[in-house]
Amino acid sequence: MGLTGSLSVYREAIDELFNPSLIIEVPKTQALPLDTILVQVRQHHPNRHGAWTLEMPSTANGAIIAWFEKPHESVDEFYAPLMVAINPYTAEIINNRFWGQTLTTWLLDLHTHLQLQATGRDIVAVLAVLLSLSVVSGLYLWWPGLNRISCAFKVRHDAGLMRFLMDSHRLLGLLSAGFLLLLAFTGFHLAYPQLLETLTASAGMGHGDEGPSVRSTAVPNNRPISIAEAVLVARGLFPSSEVRRITTPAGELGTYRINLRQRNELNQHHPFTSVWVDRWSGQIRSVNNPSQFSAGQTFTTWQWPLHTGEAFGDVGRFIWFLMGLMPLILWVSGVSHWLYRKGYIRDKPFDLMLMLRIKGRRWQTLALYYGNKTWQYCYPFLLALFRMIRAWLTSKIN
């Protein structure tokens, strides 16, 4: 769970690494109007009737992603919308992919429900509780008492490998305990968003919720407003906000949903500032303004950015990436010490400072020698793994 979580923190960068076409060369001209983009998407998918959601790129060289929530190809899947990537400067369709059939979305599904749909989500929630119990019990076992508190932070670097592993286990466990408890808490409530929404009286505020179902009340006419006009109306309420998503109306009673991000929102990719605009009259039908949320509603909307680390910017995301590695590190060091205590493995001499003092040509020679040996050993496996992933992605896309 931790490893898939760490990779999911940077899933957009990983996706671009495997799909270089998603990185767009920025021309001198401005991006095309969103109405032109939507026309191109509908021309390529004429039989997909209903609402489309246009997700704006977070960078100038990013692609616009058009989401179609219920494609007939994956209607029986737990969650598998169509994702259409479009060049915002030329309206060229870059690719058409389904959620769960790309490497990064497959990893995220593995992280959220173990590829087992609702049953996997329940297992993930149980694992979050067990992680909390493990961390709390570790803190209890770590506590040395007030008289020996200073000794609890020492890492003995020259008392053998097992002592070094156990001291590192205790220190790393202590430093990561608060982060792991936060990840377990937010992960549990992301698995069961209705529970927190009920406790905080914040229905429709959980991650992935679309908010209220707002319908048009105007009389249909032959001059519906465009996407650009709907965005202009919505931004009139929040002039300094950033447009993140636009959901088009579905049917004659549908409305535009303009999703914006204000500067003070923790949510980077999924902010909660929303304006519903009537497609026929251009009037505002409903508004979500996070600055007016209750404490319970605000707390509920914070679960996703706290779980992904995006609430704390790039530094926070990197820390969260490291925290995803921590369960594996703690497990390896803890199991190794348990095997040593049971007599299954032996201790070995180890002096970290002596290793760090190796300098000059000897260090360079050792590094080059072992680096070359490691590369020779790993290269065939890495090449085979890359070919397997490429073949898998090709089969899924086709």
Side-chain angles (χ1 to χ4, degrees), residues 131 178-188 306-308 320 323-324:
L131 175 60
F179 297 106
L180 293 177
L181 287 174
L182 178 60
L183 288 171
F185 177 85
T186 54
F188 177 86
L306 289 176
H307 189 75
T308 61
W320 256 234
M323 289 303 107

Side-chain angles (χ1 to χ4, degrees), residues 23-131:
I23 304 176
I24 297 167
E25 183 178 353
V26 181
K28 295 181 180 180
T29 57
Q30 293 184 345
L32 294 174
L34 294 177
D35 293 278
T36 303
I37 300 292
L38 182 62
V39 168
Q40 189 74 356
V41 172
R42 291 192 184 278
Q43 286 179 352
H44 278 76
H45 298 275
N47 297 322
R48 301 193 192 276
H49 307 291
W52 284 87
T53 297
L54 300 179
E55 181 180 4
M56 300 299 102
S58 56
T59 60
N61 61 351
I64 292 177
I65 306 297
W67 297 77
F68 191 81
E69 288 296 323
K70 293 294 182 181
H72 62 86
E73 295 92 338
S74 58
V75 68
D76 295 327
E77 299 290 335
F78 186 65
Y79 178 74
L82 172 67
M83 305 177 295
V84 182
I86 312 106
N87 186 322
Y89 305 101
T90 64
E92 174 193 0
I93 303 297
I94 300 173
N95 58 39
N96 301 273
R97 303 181 295 172
F98 292 94
W99 182 279
Q101 296 184 2
T102 69
L103 176 62
T104 53
T105 57
W106 186 89
L107 285 172
L108 189 57
D109 281 350
L110 184 64
H111 180 74
T112 56
H113 54 266
L114 301 175
Q115 299 288 341
L116 298 175
Q117 302 186 5
T119 301
R121 182 190 60 189
D122 296 337
I123 296 174
V124 168
V126 172
L127 290 175
V129 175
L130 294 177
L131 175 60

Side-chain angles (χ1 to χ4, degrees), residues 18-300:
F18 283 93
N19 299 276
S21 59
L22 293 174
I23 304 176
I24 297 167
E25 183 178 353
V26 181
K28 295 181 180 180
T29 57
Q30 293 184 345
L32 294 174
L34 294 177
D35 293 278
T36 303
I37 300 292
L38 182 62
V39 168
Q40 189 74 356
V41 172
R42 291 192 184 278
Q43 286 179 352
H44 278 76
H45 298 275
N47 297 322
R48 301 193 192 276
H49 307 291
W52 284 87
T53 297
L54 300 179
E55 181 180 4
M56 300 299 102
S58 56
T59 60
N61 61 351
I64 292 177
I65 306 297
W67 297 77
F68 191 81
E69 288 296 323
K70 293 294 182 181
H72 62 86
E73 295 92 338
S74 58
V75 68
D76 295 327
E77 299 290 335
F78 186 65
Y79 178 74
L82 172 67
M83 305 177 295
V84 182
I86 312 106
N87 186 322
Y89 305 101
T90 64
E92 174 193 0
I93 303 297
I94 300 173
N95 58 39
N96 301 273
R97 303 181 295 172
F98 292 94
W99 182 279
Q101 296 184 2
T102 69
L103 176 62
T104 53
T105 57
W106 186 89
L107 285 172
L108 189 57
D109 281 350
L110 184 64
H111 180 74
T112 56
H113 54 266
L114 301 175
Q115 299 288 341
L116 298 175
Q117 302 186 5
T119 301
R121 182 190 60 189
D122 296 337
I123 296 174
V124 168
V126 172
L127 290 175
V129 175
L130 294 177
L131 175 60
S132 300
L133 294 176
S134 178
V135 172
V136 171
S137 64
L139 290 173
Y140 174 80
L141 294 172
W142 166 85
W143 177 247
L146 293 176
N147 295 332
R148 301 180 56 196
I149 190 68
S150 60
C151 299
F153 294 94
K154 291 183 178 179
V155 177
R156 282 155 284 191
H157 59 85
D158 56 355
L161 181 59
M162 289 299 110
R163 174 52 59 187
F164 175 77
L165 282 178
M166 197 56 193
D167 287 349
S168 300
H169 178 95
R170 289 170 175 166
L171 182 60
L172 292 175
L174 175 66
L175 296 177
S176 64
F179 297 106
L180 293 177
L181 287 174
L182 178 60
L183 288 171
F185 177 85
T186 54
F188 177 86
H189 288 292
L190 287 173
Y192 293 129
Q194 293 82 7
L195 176 61
L196 188 60
E197 291 177 25
T198 301
L199 294 175
T200 59
S202 54
M205 296 293 178
H207 175 69
D209 288 334
E210 297 181 355
S213 178
V214 180
R215 294 189 173 188
S216 169
T217 59
V219 177
N221 54 64
N222 59 359
R223 178 57 179 88
I225 66 171
S226 64
I227 295 178
E229 292 170 330
V231 171
L232 185 64
V233 171
R235 293 201 65 193
L237 295 178
F238 308 98
S240 61
S241 62
E242 174 190 3
V243 179
R244 293 301 305 135
R245 286 178 178 80
I246 301 100
T247 301
T248 63
E252 290 190 350
L253 297 179
T255 56
Y256 284 103
R257 182 190 178 189
I258 314 299
N259 184 229
L260 309 167
R261 180 181 179 271
Q262 300 184 66
R263 294 178 180 176
N264 58 345
E265 286 191 69
L266 288 186
N267 285 271
Q268 303 287 331
H269 292 85
H270 300 278
F272 278 82
T273 301
S274 301
V275 181
W276 285 263
V277 181
D278 197 303
R279 68 180 303 188
W280 304 114
S281 66
Q283 295 178 337
I284 295 175
R285 296 302 179 198
S286 186
V287 178
N288 265 355
N289 187 356
S291 62
Q292 297 177 356
F293 285 174
S294 66
Q297 291 173 326
T298 301
F299 181 71
T300 302

